[in-house]
Amino acid sequence: MRRGFTILEMLITMAVVLIAVLLILGLAARAMVISTQSLTTIELADDLLKTAMELRKEIIKAGPRADQVFFDPDNPASISFWVNVPLAGENYNFQNYRYTIVFRRPNIELQIYQEVSKEWILEKTKILATDISTCTFFASPGTISFTIGKEKNSIERTYFMSIALPNLE
């Protein structure tokens, strides 16, 4: 009897081992892609939640004293509040402010205007969020809602939030 393997046996063994290695590498590559997509989705959800909380904070800050909400359904990327603040300014009189939250791709900005001699003067601008792909506001009696979206690596996520402001009608 001869010792060792024939060439045919070696070729068949190498082919089987090669197929097994390629299957394992294919599964590992697919797992890495799924893992990367999952991490991107989690990161987008986290960013959107932080942005939503920042918008909520600014809307609530204006809300308790907001006398009116200005919302144009033809321009849903912006919403404004009129706020009358007592004991404000140099003479401690009532002071009118207009808070405007506006989406200018890719940023969401807060613009605060002060009424001086019947004119609105921009007092402060603050960037609330960056890298936002969509932002739409909705207003209904007592409620302000918004949808924000963000995209990264061909994955897009959106977040919807409603804020109740009972003093608004």
Side-chain angles (χ1 to χ4, degrees):
M1 218 179 206
R2 53 178 217 251
R3 302 174 90 192
F5 299 105
T6 66
I7 289 182
L8 184 60
E9 291 171 332
M10 288 296 289
L11 287 174
I12 291 172
T13 304
M14 287 174 54
V16 169
V17 169
L18 181 63
I19 289 171
V21 167
L22 289 175
L23 283 173
I24 290 171
L25 286 175
L27 290 174
R30 183 67 186 145
M32 287 176 53
V33 167
I34 290 172
S35 176
T36 302
Q37 289 175 341
S38 296
L39 288 173
T40 300
T41 301
I42 291 168
E43 183 181 326
L44 286 172
D46 185 51
D47 289 348
L48 287 173
L49 182 60
K50 287 177 185 174
T51 300
M53 290 298 117
E54 185 68 24
L55 285 170
R56 179 182 177 273
K57 180 179 79 173
E58 294 299 336
I59 290 171
I60 286 176
K61 196 186 300 182
R65 293 286 312 151
D67 298 320
Q68 275 184 305
V69 173
F70 297 101
F71 173 71
D72 181 5
D74 294 329
N75 180 20
S78 148
I79 193 161
S80 296
F81 310 89
W82 250 27
V83 181
N84 190 332
V85 179
L87 304 173
E90 294 176 11
N91 298 329
Y92 300 105
N93 295 330
F94 281 94
Q95 183 65 54
N96 289 325
Y97 290 93
R98 186 178 78 208
Y99 287 76
T100 300
I101 300 174
V102 63
F103 173 58
R104 289 197 178 119
R105 186 176 233 151
N107 298 330
I108 300 176
E109 295 179 2
L110 170 66
Q111 301 168 345
I112 302 174
Y113 295 86
Q114 181 178 7
E115 186 180 33
V116 178
S117 301
K118 305 279 184 192
E119 289 190 35
W120 292 104
I121 297 173
L122 181 63
E123 186 177 273
K124 181 179 177 183
T125 299
K126 177 182 174 186
I127 303 283
L128 298 177
T130 59
D131 298 328
I132 302 296
S133 59
T134 60
C135 179
T136 306
F137 292 96
F138 314 95
S140 59
T143 305
I144 295 169
S145 304
F146 57 86
T147 301
I148 52 175
K150 193 168 186 173
E151 185 177 352
K152 183 177 183 183
N153 299 338
S154 301
I155 298 173
E156 183 166 4
R157 301 286 294 172
T158 58
Y159 192 88
F160 176 81
M161 180 177 273
S162 289
I163 301 155
L165 301 172
N167 59 312
L168 295 177
E169 295 182 15

